[in-house]
Amino acid sequence: VSDADQTVSYKVTFSEAVQALAAADLDIKGGTLDADSVALAADKLSASFQVKAAEESTADLVVGLKDTVLDVAGNKLVVPTANTLTVDTKNPAVATIDITYTLVFSEAVTGFTADDITVANGVRGTFTAVSATNYTLVVTPTANFEGNVTLDVAAGTATDLAGNPNTVATQSVQAVDTKNPAVVLATLSDVLISDADVGTGKAKATIVFSEAMDQSAAPTVTSSVATTLTNGTGAWKDATTYEVSYDVADVGVEAGAVTFDVSAAKDVAGNTQVLAQAVSSVAKVDTKNPAVEISDDESGTGNIAGGDITYTLVFSEAVTGFTADDITVANGVRGTFTAV
């Protein structure tokens, strides 16, 4: 399991029908269950769910079942062997980049050492006197740094065989970039992604990076509502901005802030982007249709003595735009309508 396939779909098949399967019945190590994905088949002989492997991890993803699963007679499940997958979601980091400098004097000198070389934004390493005129110094740039490494040799740090001191050296300037790019923002185009967006192509995620990126390769962008935002097609808008256009599937998902896992992008220097989970600042996804239940105040057959029948309509969530005209009545006349 890697960044590219971080979410794993599981299917469990039982030897006989079970009563239910809930998140509490699953034993998961090295990953996180998508609780909304847990579904028991209509015949109750199988179930499916999705688990997302841990970020920046090389620990195995282990998924098992507990004996809290019961058949219709109330017998406990015989716990099966857990399913184990090898995981590597850890992004490679930039290794040490050493720079070897060669310092050449116009004539043989004595008394020249590594301490005579001033290094900015780097650490001095191995110093070698190749000859009386040639010297080398290995410098390790400062970690997670983007800028210039400079080397200076002041006047009078060495002398020739006649005792004359050296003149000041022209400063050496070397640009380096060992800094990993980061995701600084991810937003969805709409404040609310709903049924109305199905088939419109309006759902667009904008990923903003902290620096100019290598546009020859695309980052991997996975949405936390991948079952709703599908077929993501991405393109670079500019050097720091990547946009993904999604199809919206009507799959009955109701989620809060949407998150995006972003990985595998590189900056122009070749440094790999730090694995990031960016949260959309405004958008929510709701493709779940509200349900309605109808009940009345008559325990048996309505009659003249019982008077009017009062119906109560309860929606599964808050709705707007519902009026008496939305209710179809057969063999009766609509009366007072109240939005309680």
Side-chain angles (χ1 to χ4, degrees):
V1 180
S2 66
D3 276 345
D5 56 359
Q6 200 169 345
T7 298
V8 182
S9 296
Y10 291 87
K11 182 178 181 180
V12 179
T13 302
F14 301 100
S15 60
E16 59 180 298
V18 297
Q19 295 181 20
L21 182 72
D25 298 319
L26 300 172
D27 186 11
I28 298 173
K29 298 180 179 65
T32 303
L33 173 69
D34 177 1
D36 292 334
S37 71
V38 180
L40 186 64
D43 60 9
K44 299 187 177 182
L45 290 172
S46 64
S48 61
F49 54 89
Q50 292 183 329
V51 176
K52 183 177 180 180
E55 307 282 1
E56 287 289 287
S57 174
T58 55
D60 288 344
L61 175 59
V62 183
V63 175
L65 294 173
K66 301 176 183 177
D67 65 1
T68 51
V69 178
L70 307 176
D71 67 11
V72 293
N75 299 309
K76 290 185 177 182
L77 174 74
V78 176
V79 177
T81 302
N83 179 276
T84 301
L85 293 175
T86 301
V87 172
D88 184 357
T89 58
K90 191 175 181 67
N91 290 91
V94 176
T96 301
I97 302 175
D98 292 332
I99 305 172
T100 300
Y101 290 87
T102 300
L103 301 94
V104 181
F105 288 85
S106 58
E107 59 182 300
V109 297
T110 60
F112 186 62
T113 68
D115 292 337
D116 298 319
I117 305 171
T118 301
V119 177
N121 302 319
V123 179
R124 288 179 301 195
T126 303
F127 174 81
T128 305
V130 180
S131 68
T133 57
N134 286 25
Y135 300 82
T136 62
L137 176 67
V138 176
V139 173
T140 302
T142 301
N144 201 32
F145 170 75
E146 186 174 5
N148 292 326
V149 174
T150 60
L151 258 70
D152 290 282
V153 177
T157 57
T159 58
D160 64 12
L161 300 182
N164 299 310
N166 68 284
T167 58
V168 64
T170 300
Q171 185 182 63
S172 171
V173 179
Q174 174 62 55
V176 298
D177 183 357
T178 61
K179 187 175 183 178
N180 296 98
V183 175
V184 295
L185 179 67
T187 58
L188 270 171
S189 55
D190 289 350
V191 173
L192 180 66
I193 303 298
S194 67
D195 269 354
D197 297 310
V198 174
T200 66
K202 289 173 59 180
K204 290 182 173 64
T206 301
I207 313 297
V208 181
F209 293 90
S210 60
E211 59 179 294
M213 305 296 289
D214 177 5
Q215 298 178 54
S216 67
T220 299
V221 182
T222 304
S223 168
S224 60
V225 286
T227 56
T228 303
L229 302 180
T230 62
N231 301 322
T233 301
W236 289 99
K237 306 302 290 183
D238 55 47
T240 59
T241 307
Y242 188 76
E243 186 177 84
V244 186
S245 296
Y246 289 100
D247 294 336
V248 179
D250 185 8
V251 294
V253 170
E254 190 169 24
V258 181
T259 62
F260 298 91
D261 286 329
V262 185
S263 62
K266 293 186 177 182
D267 67 12
V268 292
N271 300 311
T272 302
Q273 162 242 325
V274 177
L275 180 68
Q277 185 179 78
V279 180
S280 173
S281 57
V282 294
K284 294 183 179 180
V285 168
D286 184 357
T287 58
K288 186 175 182 179
N289 298 97
V292 61
E293 292 186 359
I294 305 173
S295 61
D296 63 57
D297 63 349
E298 298 290 339
S299 58
T301 302
N303 54 36
I304 294 176
D308 294 335
I309 303 172
T310 299
Y311 289 89
T312 299
L313 301 93
V314 178
F315 287 86
S316 58
E317 59 182 304
V319 298
T320 60
F322 185 62
T323 69
D325 292 336
D326 298 316
I327 305 171
T328 301
V329 178
N331 302 315
V333 178
R334 289 179 300 196
T336 302
F337 173 82
T338 305
V340 180

